């Protein structure tokens, strides 16, 4: 059995590899006297997680760079050729990218590698939302897709997500086949590549035009529940502030809102332009209130009704609405999801369009409030593991079997989808749906916060919280593994005064779901918490949920639960 090369061996191999450019080698020489940095960059290959490849940009096997992208694409190409080649057809791929630094060059690199393998690639000339990539794969009947993005991660990150022919991110079985193909690419010598000029001349790179944008826009606008009401005045009355947070959402969101009838839309000027450094925020993440600072300032100045924000690749949407004191409050993903689910289902019922076999899909770490709302309308509710690819997989299953009509899918991390035009979360359609809900309820003299309080009164006060701890590098990976092992082997009998009624360990698969390193603890008082290592960041995430009678009771219960669990987590980290 041969020994695996260590980090130092791989570091030296890159320095001596004629395929590695001089700029990259200069970067590596700059860390020659930093053994810990060399270890972190080369102790492993960047791995596929819940969102494909994602990592800090830079030179090394554990970094995002053109060589890692090239190797991954060569492996993906081999997978596609084995699976989709026939005597009468060959595979094709759609590629999109967001506003992050190097996203455009990584996208072109992937296209050139696919072209060298004889795979036709459709490429957007500039940044586009991730959900548009999902739509385009389906629209063009491609064999797969690639999107270059690190979603809402900090500026130093980038990533590479792979999609199947249904427009959904690859689920574990297919991802494992791609990973196996990537592992067979032993060196950079095996990565094939054409120049962009030659690939274009041979018809292997095809640039997508405005017609592709129009088809996507029309597909999103068609999800409007009450299009006539919006176009006949409700859309003009709603004053919207929108921030794309320097990302890909700016033009698509504005285009969709305008076409749907929302004409009173104000863009945060400092955050309008794409910028991979995201200079106005600590993190371009609509889950964090800080990302809405400038938007709230503008909204207060002009008297806006609602604020919406999208992340760099525009697959996550966050919203802020005025509370009872007149201050803007950022809704959680669970709250926005519950409001949108209620608006959608109640109005479909009112219009006589609610299907008897309708289904709502959520993840196991998402609040039960949306599920309870769906059930109250007679809808079926399905749970999936974390990651919208599993929701997309379920939609495709419904389409194949004809057993259910998909209506709405969402996850607590600000991902939503209605309609079957795509198989990934879409901030563009979420922006449309929540603005439509805001306009509808405004016509009744209510804000979305009023609606949320009404839902609490009817279904119970559901409150949730997410805590995370960042543990970087090789030591961090080991600490996260240690935390999970400790909770798994020494589960508590009670937490914060409530007995643990059930422990759900998804490590070996549960309820028909794939295997995943997730622990969920159900408590006798109806609350729960869940521990899960992030698949895309060096973090362990802990999800909390309680249900009480009134905000005061629920807030106190949530505070006790979070304190008790995080005390143990922090002691281990």
């Amino acid at each position: 059995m041969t020994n695996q090369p260590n980090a130092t061996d791989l570091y030296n191999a890159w320095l001596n590899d004629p395929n590695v450019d001089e700029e990259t080698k200069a970067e590596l020489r700059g860390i020659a006297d930093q053994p810990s940095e060399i270890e972190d960059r080369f102790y492993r290959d960047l791995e596929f997680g819940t969102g494909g490849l994602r990592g800090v940009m830079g030179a090394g096997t554990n970094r995002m760079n053109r060589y890692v992208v090239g190797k991954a694409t060569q492996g993906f190409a081999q997978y596609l050729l084995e699976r989709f080649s026939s005597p009468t057809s060959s595979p094709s791929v759609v590629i999109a990218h967001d506003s992050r630094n190097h996203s455009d060059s990584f996208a072109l690199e992937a296209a050139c590698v696919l072209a060298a393998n004889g795979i036709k690639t459709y490429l957007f000339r500039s940044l586009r939302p991730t959900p548009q990539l999902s739509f385009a794969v389906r629209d063009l009947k491609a064999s797969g897709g690639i999107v270059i993005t690190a979603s809402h991660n900090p500026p130093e990150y980038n990533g590479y997500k792979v999609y199947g022919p249904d427009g959904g991110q690859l689920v574990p079985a297919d991802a494992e086949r791609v990973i196996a193909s990537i592992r067979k690419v032993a060196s950079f010598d095996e990565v094939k590549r054409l120049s962009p000029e030659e690939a274009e001349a041979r018809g292997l790179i095809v640039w997508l035009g405005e017609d592709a944008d129009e088809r996507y826009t029309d597909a999103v606008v068609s999800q409007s529940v009450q299009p006539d009401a919006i176009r006949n005045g409700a859309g003009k009355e709603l004053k919207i502030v929108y921030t794309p947070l320097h990302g890909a959402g700016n033009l698509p969101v504005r285009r969709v809102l305008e076409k749907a009838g929302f004409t009173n839309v104000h863009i945060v000027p400092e955050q309008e332009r794409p910028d991979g450094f995201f200079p106005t925020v600590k993190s371009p993440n609509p889950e964090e209130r800080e990302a809405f600072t400038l938007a709230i300032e503008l909204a207060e100045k002009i008297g806006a009704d609602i604020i919406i924000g999208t992340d760099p690749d525009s697959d996550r949407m966050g919203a802020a609405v005025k509370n009872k004191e007149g201050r803007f409050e950022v809704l959680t993903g669970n709250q926005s999801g519950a409001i949108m689910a209620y608006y959608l289902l109640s109005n479909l019922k009112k219009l006589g369009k609610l299907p008897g076999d309708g289904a709502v899909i959520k993840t196991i770490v998402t609040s039960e409030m949306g599920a309870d709302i769906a059930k109250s309308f007679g809808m079926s509710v399905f749970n999936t593991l974390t990651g919208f690819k599993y929701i997309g997989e379920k939609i495709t299953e419904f389409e194949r079997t004809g057993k259910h009509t998909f209506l709405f899918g969402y996850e607590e991390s600000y991902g939503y989808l209605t309609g079957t035009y795509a198989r990934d979360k879409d901030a563009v359609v979420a922006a449309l749906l929540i603005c439509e809900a805001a306009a509808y309820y405004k016509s009744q003299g209510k804000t979305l916060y009023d609606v949320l309080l009404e839902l609490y009164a009817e279904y119970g006060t559901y409150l949730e919280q997410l805590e995370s701890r960042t543990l970087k590098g090789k030591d961090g990976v080991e600490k996260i593994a240690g935390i999970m092992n400790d909770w798994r082997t020494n589960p508590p009998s009670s937490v914060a005064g409530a007995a643990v009624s059930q422990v759900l360990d998804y490590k070996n698969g549960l309820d028909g779901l794939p295997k995943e390193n997730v622990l969920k603890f159900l408590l006798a008082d109806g609350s729960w918490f869940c521990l899960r290592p992030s698949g895309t960041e060096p973090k362990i995430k802990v999800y909390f949920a309680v249900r009480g009678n009134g905000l005061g009771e629920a807030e106190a219960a949530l505070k006790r639960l979070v304190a008790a669990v995080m005390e143990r987590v922090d002691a281990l980290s």
Side-chain angles (χ1 to χ4, degrees):
M1 183 176 176
T2 57
N3 292 325
Q4 291 294 319
N6 61 32
T8 303
D9 292 338
L10 288 169
Y11 168 78
N12 288 321
W14 276 52
L15 282 174
N16 295 314
D17 193 324
N19 295 291
V20 176
D21 65 87
E22 189 54 39
E23 184 179 350
T24 300
K25 289 180 179 179
E27 180 184 334
L28 291 174
R29 291 188 194 102
I31 61 167
D33 59 351
Q34 301 174 46
S36 62
E37 181 69 12
I38 292 172
E39 175 75 13
D40 188 53
R41 287 178 182 236
F42 288 95
Y43 82 92
R44 65 171 185 174
D45 288 339
L46 202 59
E47 296 177 351
F48 268 72
T50 56
L53 289 169
R54 194 177 299 185
V56 173
M57 288 178 278
T61 58
N62 189 34
R63 292 288 187 272
M64 273 295 296
N65 51 68
R66 60 172 293 203
Y67 302 103
V68 168
V69 167
K71 185 179 177 184
T73 307
Q74 182 62 45
F76 186 41
Q78 290 168 191
Y79 161 83
L80 291 168
L81 291 168
E82 290 170 6
R83 183 169 178 183
F84 295 105
S85 292
S86 74
T88 57
S89 65
S90 57
S92 62
V93 172
V94 186
I95 301 178
H97 70 271
D98 70 0
S99 61
R100 287 181 177 272
N101 296 326
H102 306 298
S103 281
D104 54 351
S105 60
F106 290 164
L108 186 59
E109 181 70 18
C112 291
V113 172
L114 290 170
N117 285 273
I119 297 172
K120 185 177 183 178
T121 301
Y122 298 93
L123 197 61
F124 290 99
R125 287 194 180 275
S126 59
L127 73 170
R128 293 295 189 283
T130 288
Q132 186 171 352
L133 180 280
S134 176
F135 169 79
V137 169
R138 298 175 59 78
D139 182 50
L140 297 169
K141 296 179 172 57
S143 313
I146 297 169
V147 63
I148 307 297
T149 178
S151 188
H152 59 292
N153 281 49
E156 64 268 24
Y157 281 81
N158 214 325
Y160 177 107
K161 294 197 287 191
V162 175
Y163 289 72
D166 70 339
Q169 291 184 53
L170 294 187
V171 292
D174 289 323
E176 285 298 327
R177 294 186 185 101
V178 172
I179 291 166
S181 292
I182 293 170
R183 285 175 180 155
K184 291 177 183 176
V185 184
S187 70
F188 297 140
D189 287 330
E190 297 177 31
V191 178
K192 302 174 184 177
R193 189 183 187 281
L194 288 181
S195 70
E197 295 76 17
E198 185 177 357
E200 270 194 79
R202 291 171 56 178
L204 291 167
I205 287 182
V206 177
W207 296 98
L208 294 172
E210 289 183 6
D211 56 333
D213 295 330
E214 290 172 4
R215 291 194 298 274
Y216 170 68
T217 298
D218 289 343
V220 175
V221 173
S222 71
Q223 305 310 315
S224 175
V225 183
Q226 300 201 62
D228 293 339
I230 299 303
R231 292 194 183 100
N232 291 337
K236 296 176 184 176
E237 294 300 318
L238 189 75
K239 190 173 285 188
I240 302 164
V241 164
Y242 169 53
T243 173
L245 296 176
H246 306 289
N250 183 31
L251 296 180
V253 169
R254 293 167 71 175
R255 192 180 296 127
V256 162
L257 290 177
E258 182 178 6
K259 193 161 189 176
F262 293 98
T263 56
N264 204 346
V265 181
H266 304 260
I267 313 302
V268 177
E270 301 93 334
Q271 298 173 330
E272 180 177 5
R273 297 285 179 184
D275 190 329
F277 291 105
F278 311 111
T280 64
V281 291
K282 291 179 183 176
S283 178
N285 186 356
E287 293 179 74
E288 298 175 9
R289 180 180 173 84
E290 182 272 335
F292 283 97
T293 300
L294 292 174
I296 289 172
E297 288 177 5
L298 177 59
E300 289 175 341
K301 181 180 178 181
I302 67 171
D305 298 299
I306 187 172
I307 301 168
I308 52 174
T310 55
D311 69 343
D313 65 324
S314 198
D315 64 351
R316 297 172 190 244
M317 186 280 301
V321 296
K322 286 181 180 176
N323 61 21
K324 288 295 187 182
E325 289 74 43
R327 294 192 302 272
F328 278 98
E329 186 165 320
V330 179
L331 297 174
T332 69
N334 287 310
Q335 290 169 336
S336 293
I339 291 168
M340 285 189 277
Y342 182 79
Y343 169 75
L344 179 68
L345 299 177
S346 62
N347 279 280
L348 287 176
K349 183 178 180 179
K350 185 182 296 184
L351 295 167
K353 296 180 179 180
L354 190 64
D357 65 348
V360 169
I361 310 172
K362 71 176 194 65
T363 70
I364 59 172
V365 297
T366 298
S367 169
E368 294 300 317
M369 186 175 182
D372 286 351
I373 290 170
K375 290 172 186 175
S376 75
F377 285 93
M379 300 295 98
S380 298
V381 177
F382 294 85
N383 281 296
T384 71
L385 293 176
T386 306
F388 217 89
K389 61 187 175 186
Y390 296 115
I391 295 177
E393 180 186 32
K394 206 73 182 170
I395 299 169
T396 297
E397 178 191 313
F398 294 164
E399 199 171 66
R400 186 179 68 252
T401 63
K403 287 185 177 180
H404 294 279
T405 299
F406 170 72
L407 295 175
F408 188 61
Y410 78 110
E411 54 187 1
E412 51 74 40
S413 55
Y414 288 60
Y416 317 96
L417 179 68
T418 183
T420 58
Y421 62 91
R423 291 293 185 275
D424 210 344
K425 54 186 176 286
D426 188 354
V428 185
V429 81
L432 171 65
L433 190 60
I434 202 159
C435 287
E436 187 169 314
Y440 172 77
Y441 291 116
K442 184 180 181 181
S443 70
Q444 299 177 2
K446 293 188 286 191
T447 69
L448 290 187
Y449 193 79
D450 293 329
V451 175
L452 180 64
L453 294 181
E454 289 177 359
L455 294 177
Y456 283 160
E458 183 173 353
Y459 295 96
T461 305
Y462 290 80
L463 291 182
E464 296 80 28
Q465 188 167 323
L466 170 64
E467 291 288 325
S468 64
R469 296 294 184 264
T470 300
L471 299 165
K472 294 183 178 181
K474 188 177 181 181
D475 289 344
V477 172
E478 293 171 354
K479 284 182 179 179
I480 290 171
I483 292 168
M484 293 299 295
N485 182 63
D486 184 79
W487 282 87
R488 182 170 276 120
T489 56
N490 302 293
S493 58
S494 66
V495 179
V500 174
S501 58
Q502 193 176 3
V503 180
L504 303 177
D505 190 345
Y506 293 87
K507 187 177 182 180
N508 297 314
L510 197 64
D511 299 329
L513 300 176
K515 298 176 182 178
E516 186 125 327
N517 187 17
V518 177
L519 283 168
K520 188 172 184 179
F521 296 83
L522 308 183
L523 307 185
D525 63 359
S527 58
W528 57 263
F529 64 95
C530 182
L531 290 92
R532 170 183 166 264
S534 172
T536 57
E537 300 171 89
K539 290 181 177 180
I540 183 163
K541 294 185 173 183
V542 189
Y543 304 81
F544 300 90
V546 300
R547 180 177 184 269
N549 295 314
L551 278 170
E553 178 186 309
E555 286 171 351
L558 184 60
K559 186 176 181 180
R560 288 194 302 270
L561 182 61
V562 171
V565 173
M566 295 313 297
E567 182 180 4
R568 177 169 168 178
V569 169
D570 288 337
L572 295 165
S573 59

